[in-house]
Short mmCIF file of all heavy atoms in Angstrom, two decimals:
data_model
loop_
_atom_site.label_atom_id
_atom_site.label_comp_id
_atom_site.label_asym_id
_atom_site.label_seq_id
_atom_site.Cartn_x
_atom_site.Cartn_y
_atom_site.Cartn_z
N SER A 2 -55.76 14.95 -4.47
CA SER A 2 -57.11 15.45 -4.60
C SER A 2 -57.44 16.29 -3.38
O SER A 2 -56.84 16.12 -2.32
CB SER A 2 -58.12 14.31 -4.76
OG SER A 2 -58.12 13.47 -3.61
N TYR A 3 -58.40 17.21 -3.55
CA TYR A 3 -58.71 18.17 -2.50
C TYR A 3 -60.21 18.40 -2.42
O TYR A 3 -60.92 18.31 -3.42
CB TYR A 3 -58.02 19.51 -2.78
CG TYR A 3 -56.53 19.42 -2.86
CD1 TYR A 3 -55.89 19.20 -4.07
CD2 TYR A 3 -55.75 19.54 -1.71
CE1 TYR A 3 -54.51 19.11 -4.14
CE2 TYR A 3 -54.37 19.45 -1.77
CZ TYR A 3 -53.76 19.23 -2.99
OH TYR A 3 -52.39 19.13 -3.05
N ALA A 4 -60.63 18.71 -1.22
CA ALA A 4 -61.98 19.21 -1.06
C ALA A 4 -62.10 20.56 -1.75
O ALA A 4 -61.12 21.31 -1.86
CB ALA A 4 -62.32 19.34 0.42
N ASP A 5 -63.30 20.89 -2.19
CA ASP A 5 -63.50 22.17 -2.86
C ASP A 5 -63.06 23.34 -1.98
O ASP A 5 -62.51 24.33 -2.48
CB ASP A 5 -64.96 22.34 -3.25
CG ASP A 5 -65.36 21.45 -4.42
OD1 ASP A 5 -64.46 20.97 -5.14
OD2 ASP A 5 -66.57 21.24 -4.60
N SER A 6 -63.28 23.22 -0.69
CA SER A 6 -62.93 24.29 0.22
C SER A 6 -61.43 24.48 0.35
O SER A 6 -60.98 25.53 0.81
CB SER A 6 -63.53 24.02 1.60
OG SER A 6 -63.04 22.81 2.14
N ALA A 7 -60.66 23.48 -0.04
CA ALA A 7 -59.21 23.53 0.10
C ALA A 7 -58.47 23.80 -1.20
O ALA A 7 -57.30 24.20 -1.16
CB ALA A 7 -58.71 22.20 0.68
N LYS A 8 -59.12 23.61 -2.31
CA LYS A 8 -58.46 23.78 -3.60
C LYS A 8 -57.91 25.19 -3.75
O LYS A 8 -58.57 26.18 -3.46
CB LYS A 8 -59.43 23.49 -4.74
CG LYS A 8 -59.78 22.02 -4.89
CD LYS A 8 -60.76 21.80 -6.03
CE LYS A 8 -61.10 20.33 -6.18
NZ LYS A 8 -62.11 20.11 -7.24
N GLY A 9 -56.68 25.25 -4.22
CA GLY A 9 -56.02 26.52 -4.43
C GLY A 9 -55.35 27.09 -3.21
O GLY A 9 -54.58 28.04 -3.32
N ARG A 10 -55.64 26.54 -2.05
CA ARG A 10 -55.06 27.04 -0.80
C ARG A 10 -54.22 26.00 -0.08
O ARG A 10 -53.25 26.35 0.58
CB ARG A 10 -56.16 27.52 0.14
CG ARG A 10 -57.02 28.64 -0.42
CD ARG A 10 -57.95 29.21 0.63
NE ARG A 10 -58.87 28.19 1.16
CZ ARG A 10 -58.94 27.84 2.45
NH1 ARG A 10 -58.16 28.44 3.34
NH2 ARG A 10 -59.81 26.93 2.83
N PHE A 11 -54.60 24.74 -0.19
CA PHE A 11 -53.90 23.66 0.51
C PHE A 11 -53.15 22.79 -0.48
O PHE A 11 -53.60 22.59 -1.62
CB PHE A 11 -54.89 22.77 1.27
CG PHE A 11 -55.60 23.42 2.42
CD1 PHE A 11 -55.45 24.77 2.70
CD2 PHE A 11 -56.41 22.66 3.25
CE1 PHE A 11 -56.11 25.37 3.77
CE2 PHE A 11 -57.07 23.24 4.32
CZ PHE A 11 -56.92 24.59 4.58
N THR A 12 -52.02 22.26 -0.05
CA THR A 12 -51.24 21.34 -0.86
C THR A 12 -50.79 20.16 0.00
O THR A 12 -50.19 20.36 1.05
CB THR A 12 -50.01 22.02 -1.46
OG1 THR A 12 -50.40 23.14 -2.26
CG2 THR A 12 -49.23 21.04 -2.33
N ILE A 13 -51.10 18.96 -0.45
CA ILE A 13 -50.64 17.77 0.23
C ILE A 13 -49.41 17.24 -0.49
O ILE A 13 -49.34 17.25 -1.72
CB ILE A 13 -51.75 16.70 0.32
CG1 ILE A 13 -51.31 15.52 1.20
CG2 ILE A 13 -52.17 16.23 -1.06
CD1 ILE A 13 -52.44 14.55 1.52
N SER A 14 -48.45 16.79 0.27
CA SER A 14 -47.23 16.24 -0.30
C SER A 14 -46.67 15.19 0.65
O SER A 14 -47.15 15.04 1.77
CB SER A 14 -46.19 17.33 -0.56
OG SER A 14 -45.81 17.97 0.65
N ARG A 15 -45.68 14.47 0.19
CA ARG A 15 -45.07 13.45 1.05
C ARG A 15 -43.59 13.37 0.80
O ARG A 15 -43.08 13.72 -0.27
CB ARG A 15 -45.72 12.09 0.80
CG ARG A 15 -45.43 11.50 -0.57
CD ARG A 15 -46.21 10.23 -0.81
NE ARG A 15 -45.95 9.70 -2.14
CZ ARG A 15 -46.76 8.90 -2.80
NH1 ARG A 15 -47.92 8.53 -2.23
NH2 ARG A 15 -46.44 8.47 -4.00
N ASP A 16 -42.89 12.90 1.81
CA ASP A 16 -41.47 12.61 1.72
C ASP A 16 -41.32 11.17 2.15
O ASP A 16 -41.32 10.87 3.35
CB ASP A 16 -40.67 13.55 2.61
CG ASP A 16 -39.17 13.39 2.45
OD1 ASP A 16 -38.72 12.29 2.05
OD2 ASP A 16 -38.44 14.35 2.73
N ASN A 17 -41.20 10.28 1.19
CA ASN A 17 -41.15 8.86 1.50
C ASN A 17 -39.93 8.49 2.34
O ASN A 17 -39.99 7.59 3.19
CB ASN A 17 -41.17 8.04 0.22
CG ASN A 17 -42.50 8.08 -0.49
OD1 ASN A 17 -43.54 8.27 0.14
ND2 ASN A 17 -42.48 7.91 -1.80
N ALA A 18 -38.81 9.16 2.11
CA ALA A 18 -37.61 8.88 2.87
C ALA A 18 -37.80 9.18 4.35
O ALA A 18 -37.18 8.55 5.21
CB ALA A 18 -36.42 9.66 2.32
N LYS A 19 -38.64 10.15 4.66
CA LYS A 19 -38.90 10.54 6.04
C LYS A 19 -40.19 9.94 6.58
O LYS A 19 -40.56 10.22 7.72
CB LYS A 19 -38.95 12.06 6.16
CG LYS A 19 -37.64 12.75 5.83
CD LYS A 19 -37.76 14.25 5.99
CE LYS A 19 -36.45 14.94 5.69
NZ LYS A 19 -36.56 16.41 5.82
N ASN A 20 -40.88 9.15 5.76
CA ASN A 20 -42.16 8.56 6.15
C ASN A 20 -43.12 9.62 6.67
O ASN A 20 -43.79 9.43 7.69
CB ASN A 20 -41.95 7.48 7.21
CG ASN A 20 -41.14 6.31 6.70
OD1 ASN A 20 -41.39 5.80 5.62
ND2 ASN A 20 -40.16 5.87 7.49
N THR A 21 -43.18 10.72 5.96
CA THR A 21 -43.95 11.86 6.42
C THR A 21 -44.80 12.41 5.29
O THR A 21 -44.35 12.51 4.15
CB THR A 21 -43.03 12.96 6.96
OG1 THR A 21 -42.26 12.44 8.05
CG2 THR A 21 -43.82 14.16 7.44
N VAL A 22 -46.02 12.77 5.63
CA VAL A 22 -46.90 13.46 4.71
C VAL A 22 -47.18 14.84 5.28
O VAL A 22 -47.26 15.02 6.50
CB VAL A 22 -48.20 12.67 4.46
CG1 VAL A 22 -49.00 12.51 5.75
CG2 VAL A 22 -49.03 13.31 3.38
N TYR A 23 -47.33 15.82 4.41
CA TYR A 23 -47.50 17.20 4.82
C TYR A 23 -48.79 17.78 4.27
O TYR A 23 -49.30 17.34 3.24
CB TYR A 23 -46.34 18.07 4.32
CG TYR A 23 -44.98 17.59 4.74
CD1 TYR A 23 -44.22 16.78 3.90
CD2 TYR A 23 -44.45 17.95 5.97
CE1 TYR A 23 -42.97 16.34 4.28
CE2 TYR A 23 -43.20 17.52 6.36
CZ TYR A 23 -42.46 16.71 5.51
OH TYR A 23 -41.21 16.28 5.90
N LEU A 24 -49.29 18.76 4.95
CA LEU A 24 -50.38 19.56 4.44
C LEU A 24 -49.98 21.02 4.60
O LEU A 24 -49.93 21.54 5.71
CB LEU A 24 -51.69 19.29 5.18
CG LEU A 24 -52.91 20.03 4.63
CD1 LEU A 24 -53.26 19.52 3.23
CD2 LEU A 24 -54.11 19.87 5.56
N GLN A 25 -49.67 21.66 3.48
CA GLN A 25 -49.33 23.07 3.47
C GLN A 25 -50.62 23.86 3.28
O GLN A 25 -51.32 23.66 2.29
CB GLN A 25 -48.35 23.38 2.35
CG GLN A 25 -47.98 24.85 2.23
CD GLN A 25 -47.20 25.35 3.42
OE1 GLN A 25 -46.21 24.74 3.81
NE2 GLN A 25 -47.63 26.46 4.00
N MET A 26 -50.91 24.72 4.22
CA MET A 26 -52.14 25.49 4.21
C MET A 26 -51.80 26.97 4.11
O MET A 26 -51.01 27.48 4.89
CB MET A 26 -52.97 25.22 5.46
CG MET A 26 -53.28 23.74 5.68
SD MET A 26 -54.37 23.46 7.09
CE MET A 26 -53.29 23.99 8.42
N SER A 27 -52.43 27.64 3.16
CA SER A 27 -52.22 29.06 2.94
C SER A 27 -53.56 29.77 2.89
O SER A 27 -54.60 29.14 2.74
CB SER A 27 -51.44 29.31 1.65
OG SER A 27 -50.18 28.67 1.67
N SER A 28 -53.50 31.08 3.01
CA SER A 28 -54.72 31.90 2.97
C SER A 28 -55.78 31.35 3.91
O SER A 28 -56.95 31.19 3.54
CB SER A 28 -55.25 31.99 1.54
OG SER A 28 -54.29 32.55 0.67
N LEU A 29 -55.37 31.07 5.11
CA LEU A 29 -56.26 30.42 6.06
C LEU A 29 -57.43 31.33 6.44
O LEU A 29 -57.29 32.55 6.53
CB LEU A 29 -55.48 30.01 7.31
CG LEU A 29 -54.61 28.77 7.12
CD1 LEU A 29 -53.58 28.66 8.23
CD2 LEU A 29 -55.48 27.51 7.06
N LYS A 30 -58.56 30.69 6.66
CA LYS A 30 -59.79 31.36 7.02
C LYS A 30 -60.27 30.85 8.37
O LYS A 30 -59.95 29.73 8.76
CB LYS A 30 -60.87 31.09 5.97
CG LYS A 30 -60.47 31.41 4.54
CD LYS A 30 -61.53 30.94 3.57
CE LYS A 30 -61.13 31.21 2.13
NZ LYS A 30 -62.15 30.71 1.18
N PRO A 31 -61.05 31.65 9.07
CA PRO A 31 -61.58 31.17 10.35
C PRO A 31 -62.33 29.85 10.22
O PRO A 31 -62.28 29.03 11.15
CB PRO A 31 -62.52 32.30 10.79
CG PRO A 31 -61.90 33.52 10.19
CD PRO A 31 -61.37 33.07 8.85
N GLU A 32 -62.99 29.62 9.11
CA GLU A 32 -63.71 28.38 8.92
C GLU A 32 -62.80 27.17 8.73
O GLU A 32 -63.28 26.03 8.70
CB GLU A 32 -64.70 28.47 7.75
CG GLU A 32 -64.08 29.00 6.47
CD GLU A 32 -64.33 30.49 6.28
OE1 GLU A 32 -64.16 31.25 7.26
OE2 GLU A 32 -64.70 30.90 5.16
N ASP A 33 -61.50 27.39 8.61
CA ASP A 33 -60.55 26.30 8.58
C ASP A 33 -60.23 25.77 9.98
O ASP A 33 -59.54 24.75 10.11
CB ASP A 33 -59.24 26.72 7.91
CG ASP A 33 -59.41 27.04 6.44
OD1 ASP A 33 -60.15 26.31 5.74
OD2 ASP A 33 -58.80 28.03 5.97
N THR A 34 -60.70 26.45 10.99
CA THR A 34 -60.45 26.02 12.35
C THR A 34 -61.02 24.63 12.58
O THR A 34 -62.21 24.39 12.34
CB THR A 34 -61.07 27.01 13.35
OG1 THR A 34 -60.41 28.28 13.23
CG2 THR A 34 -60.93 26.51 14.77
N ALA A 35 -60.18 23.72 13.03
CA ALA A 35 -60.59 22.34 13.23
C ALA A 35 -59.43 21.55 13.81
O ALA A 35 -58.30 22.02 13.85
CB ALA A 35 -61.03 21.71 11.90
N VAL A 36 -59.74 20.34 14.24
CA VAL A 36 -58.71 19.36 14.53
C VAL A 36 -58.40 18.63 13.24
O VAL A 36 -59.29 18.05 12.62
CB VAL A 36 -59.16 18.38 15.63
CG1 VAL A 36 -58.11 17.29 15.81
CG2 VAL A 36 -59.39 19.11 16.94
N TYR A 37 -57.15 18.66 12.85
CA TYR A 37 -56.71 18.01 11.62
C TYR A 37 -56.03 16.70 11.95
O TYR A 37 -55.13 16.65 12.78
CB TYR A 37 -55.75 18.93 10.85
CG TYR A 37 -56.44 20.08 10.17
CD1 TYR A 37 -56.94 21.14 10.90
CD2 TYR A 37 -56.59 20.09 8.79
CE1 TYR A 37 -57.59 22.19 10.28
CE2 TYR A 37 -57.24 21.14 8.15
CZ TYR A 37 -57.74 22.18 8.89
OH TYR A 37 -58.38 23.23 8.27
N SER A 38 -56.46 15.64 11.28
CA SER A 38 -55.93 14.31 11.51
C SER A 38 -55.45 13.71 10.21
O SER A 38 -56.09 13.89 9.17
CB SER A 38 -56.98 13.40 12.13
OG SER A 38 -57.47 13.92 13.35
N CYS A 39 -54.36 12.99 10.26
CA CYS A 39 -53.93 12.25 9.09
C CYS A 39 -54.37 10.80 9.22
O CYS A 39 -54.57 10.29 10.32
CB CYS A 39 -52.41 12.35 8.86
SG CYS A 39 -51.38 11.54 10.09
N ALA A 40 -54.53 10.15 8.09
CA ALA A 40 -55.00 8.78 8.06
C ALA A 40 -54.31 8.04 6.93
O ALA A 40 -54.22 8.56 5.81
CB ALA A 40 -56.51 8.72 7.89
#
């Protein structure tokens, strides 16, 4: 699921073997500027 501001531009995925989750961000905008944290 995605925030409206992220839909169509961001993709979340995971690799269970690597115990890692990813956030692929495309078409970035200045308003995307932030500290990004995983939880």
Side-chain angles (χ1 to χ4, degrees):
S2 62
Y3 301 91
D5 287 342
S6 60
K8 288 179 180 177
R10 300 188 299 122
F11 293 6
T12 302
I13 187 170
S14 62
R15 68 186 179 203
D16 186 335
N17 290 332
K19 297 181 179 179
N20 297 313
T21 301
V22 63
Y23 304 95
L24 184 67
Q25 178 67 50
M26 305 185 294
S27 301
S28 301
L29 284 163
K30 307 173 182 178
E32 50 263 45
D33 294 319
T34 295
V36 174
Y37 285 72
S38 302
C39 68

